[in-house]
Amino acid sequence: MPLTNTPPTAELQALDAAHHMHPFTANGALGAKGARIITRAQGVRLTDSDGAELIDGMAGLWCVNIGYGRAELAEAAARQMRELPYYNTFFQTSHVPALTLAAKLAELAPGDLNHVFFAGSGSEANDTNIRMVRQYWALKGQPARRTIIARRNGYHGSTMGGGSLGGMAAMHAQGGLPIPGIVHIDQPYWWGEGGDMSPDAFGLARARQLEEKILELGPENVAAFIAEPVQGAGGVIIPPDSYWPEVQRIVDQYGILLIADEVITGFGRLGHWFGSQSYGIRPHIMTIAKGLSSGYQPIGGSIVCDEVAQTIAQDEFNHGYTYSGHPVAAAVALENLRILQEEEIVERVRDVAAPYLAQAWGSLSDHPLVGETVSRGLMASLALTPDKARRARFAAEAGHAGYICREYCFANNLVMRHVGDRMIIAPPLVIATDDIDELIRRARRALDQTLAHLQRDGAMVAA
Ligand SMILES: *Cc1c(COP(=O)(O)O)cnc(C)c1O
């Protein structure tokens, strides 16, 4: 039951259109159409202002790992607000939520990733990482090591730093990105870019671009390589198995720092606490956000290895955010981690939900519009194609078919995102198997409707 009387949807949409600037949105077009207003949520389901119930196949924005409606987190926030709603950690003070959360993250993180620098978001944390790795090398007496290698179609946030590390062409086209000292290599996207190579050969080739780039720049000028264990916003691109071991070899050989952006893959998404564990890689820094608080509070950070943290500690690090380690956000994150751990949610992803989703999602591969289905943990994607035998792209502009499919998903009360012509999901980690079944039924219906629509328009044409 709604706690308050929600005004009519049209009224809310009009206010939204008049005053609210949406991120990553053509606001004029959205304003004309009207945003869907989400009013409540429970478990894996959202309710909109007309009372319709949607399955949230995206866990919000990849973040609501424990699902919606966990009162324990609300209570943790209220308790902390009464006791100490805010204090900073800049000037020789600390507080219990921040230090407890840092210690907890050190316990959960692999290897000697024992130190945490807090931020308010994943973007901010990646901005921290740029400054931290450059300061690290400066303190090591190698100030020329400033260049950071990242990947095309990677996503690392939307601040100047995060957007520069990211390799999103549409973002770089606006606002003067990337900032200097960041270069990009190609992504390990076999289905879209692998041509006639086997996935393993392609994975090796894409990893070796890192070595080629290091040699081109001169290893003495390279600070770090940053990548997501599995690309999220780029379309849930799961690298071939050969990719990460080769990247690790190269990083080790040239002594550059490895930053694993775990903003999506952290906190159970791949069936391990961190995606790096899933791939057996050993980053020096992990970026975290999203699932850290299951999205109930904005908080992010960098989990840093002993060597980098001890080096940074040698001098004042002239960097920080007013809300670094915010006590309310930290208290909520701690409660979220307690639930993930005590309810064995990560183990359930690994043993139950991920294998179940892999099979259910894979069943969509018989659909005439679907070129490949892939999943790892509770991240999955499929490629829409007019000709699956040829792994063909559509002749129409990239994203046309994906957008239509997303609209049909939305109309079928399923939140599934499109990235170009890939459809992607990353549901809450607590999704039940019968909800996975329902998600797949709605996705199949949307695919059928999309196929009919594209055939009607004569758009089932390969490029
Ligand atoms: C979402 C995301 C970010 C940015 O996090 P924000 O909290 O939106 O700033 C960074 N890296 C990855 C991999 C992400 O998915």
Side-chain angles (χ1 to χ4, degrees):
M1 279 284 106
L3 298 174
T4 51
N5 256 335
T6 308
T9 298
E11 222 172 276
L12 297 169
Q13 288 173 326
L15 282 174
D16 190 66
H19 303 294
H20 180 201
M21 301 170 77
H22 290 244
F24 286 101
T25 297
N27 277 279
L30 177 65
K33 181 179 171 189
R36 199 154 173 179
I37 316 282
I38 306 301
T39 51
R40 321 159 37 73
Q42 185 66 38
V44 300
R45 284 180 164 74
L46 311 167
T47 305
D48 74 10
S49 54
D50 294 328
E53 233 183 44
L54 297 92
I55 292 182
D56 184 3
M58 286 303 300
L61 270 179
W62 327 81
C63 54
V64 188
N65 286 10
I66 63 166
Y68 298 93
R70 292 298 300 245
E72 300 94 321
L73 273 63
E75 278 147 25
R79 225 181 299 123
Q80 188 57 47
M81 279 195 199
R82 287 194 195 96
E83 199 167 300
L84 180 69
Y86 176 76
Y87 202 67
N88 76 82
T89 54
F90 280 32
F91 307 118
Q92 306 192 3
T93 57
S94 195
H95 53 69
V96 176
L99 67 92
T100 310
L101 180 58
K104 183 75 198 173
L105 289 167
E107 175 198 315
L108 291 171
D112 69 347
L113 292 160
N114 289 324
H115 312 268
V116 184
F117 194 103
F118 286 112
S121 69
S123 302
E124 286 180 9
N126 278 327
D127 280 34
T128 296
N129 292 338
I130 295 173
R131 302 193 56 181
M132 193 181 305
V133 299
R134 289 176 174 170
Q135 171 68 353
Y136 168 81
W137 287 115
L139 287 167
K140 294 301 263 187
Q142 300 183 57
R145 282 195 183 257
R146 289 176 52 80
T147 300
I148 300 170
I149 302 174
R151 302 184 302 182
R152 294 189 189 94
N153 202 38
Y155 187 79
H156 301 295
S158 192
T159 51
M160 290 297 285
S164 296
L165 291 172
M168 296 293 175
M171 291 175 72
H172 290 183
Q174 299 175 350
L177 300 185
I179 58 172
I182 294 170
V183 299
H184 297 85
I185 59 174
D186 287 323
Q187 58 180 336
Y189 178 24
W190 176 78
W191 194 86
E193 301 175 2
D196 294 334
M197 296 175 98
S198 72
D200 272 349
F202 177 73
L204 280 180
R206 285 290 155 102
R208 287 181 186 150
Q209 279 196 11
L210 175 60
E211 186 163 38
E212 288 154 22
K213 186 56 83 177
I214 291 170
L215 292 171
E216 175 194 322
L217 295 162
E220 68 281 6
N221 297 313
V222 179
F225 175 60
I226 183 169
E228 306 152 80
V230 169
Q231 287 158 263
V236 182
I237 309 296
I238 298 171
D241 289 341
S242 58
Y243 182 76
W244 274 114
E246 184 68 359
V247 167
Q248 184 71 56
R249 176 193 69 77
I250 294 164
V251 163
D252 290 345
Q253 182 171 335
Y254 296 95
I256 68 170
L257 298 176
L258 175 60
I259 307 168
D261 188 336
E262 296 263 9
V263 169
I264 289 174
T265 51
F267 308 104
R269 176 63 55 196
L270 299 187
H272 293 77
W273 277 90
F274 297 95
S276 294
Q277 295 165 307
S278 169
Y279 282 100
I281 52 176
R282 299 181 306 279
H284 300 89
I285 298 175
M286 297 195 304
T287 319
I288 55 170
K290 293 192 173 128
L292 169 58
S293 67
S294 281
Y296 281 58
Q297 283 282 289
I299 183 169
S302 306
I303 312 185
V304 181
C305 71
D306 288 341
E307 156 68 13
V308 171
Q310 284 158 8
T311 303
I312 292 294
Q314 290 166 13
D315 198 358
E316 181 168 339
F317 185 36
N318 297 316
H319 173 69
Y321 307 107
T322 299
Y323 298 138
S324 285
H326 191 287
V328 177
V332 168
L334 275 165
E335 187 62 8
N336 173 60
L337 297 180
R338 185 191 67 74
I339 289 173
L340 279 172
Q341 201 159 27
E342 284 182 15
E343 298 183 5
E344 300 184 350
I345 291 170
V346 182
E347 292 80 357
R348 186 188 161 272
V349 169
R350 187 191 61 205
D351 298 337
V352 180
Y356 196 87
L357 180 72
Q359 195 164 30
W361 187 255
S363 75
L364 295 171
S365 64
D366 67 1
H367 195 278
L369 190 54
V370 174
E372 73 159 359
T373 56
V374 292
S375 75
R376 186 152 179 137
L378 287 189
M379 294 173 86
S381 62
L382 58 82
L384 303 177
T385 177
D387 181 352
K388 60 166 93 193
R390 287 178 43 224
R391 299 192 347 237
R393 294 169 196 273
F394 290 92
E397 188 191 350
H400 174 75
Y403 180 81
I404 289 169
C405 186
R406 198 206 71 106
E407 292 286 274
Y408 282 117
C409 290
F410 218 29
N412 282 293
N413 289 329
L414 170 63
V415 177
M416 174 153 73
R417 213 169 123 183
H418 80 106
V419 175
D421 294 322
R422 289 187 82 81
M423 306 306 300
I424 64 177
I425 56 162
L429 304 187
V430 296
I431 189 167
T433 50
D434 55 353
D435 284 332
I436 293 177
D437 292 339
E438 182 58 25
L439 183 158
I440 299 293
R441 272 193 293 276
R442 293 183 193 184
R444 186 175 283 280
R445 206 176 308 141
L447 287 167
D448 288 342
Q449 291 164 338
T450 305
L451 177 61
H453 186 122
L454 293 173
Q455 283 169 336
R456 237 177 5 249
D457 288 359
M460 280 300 283
V461 178

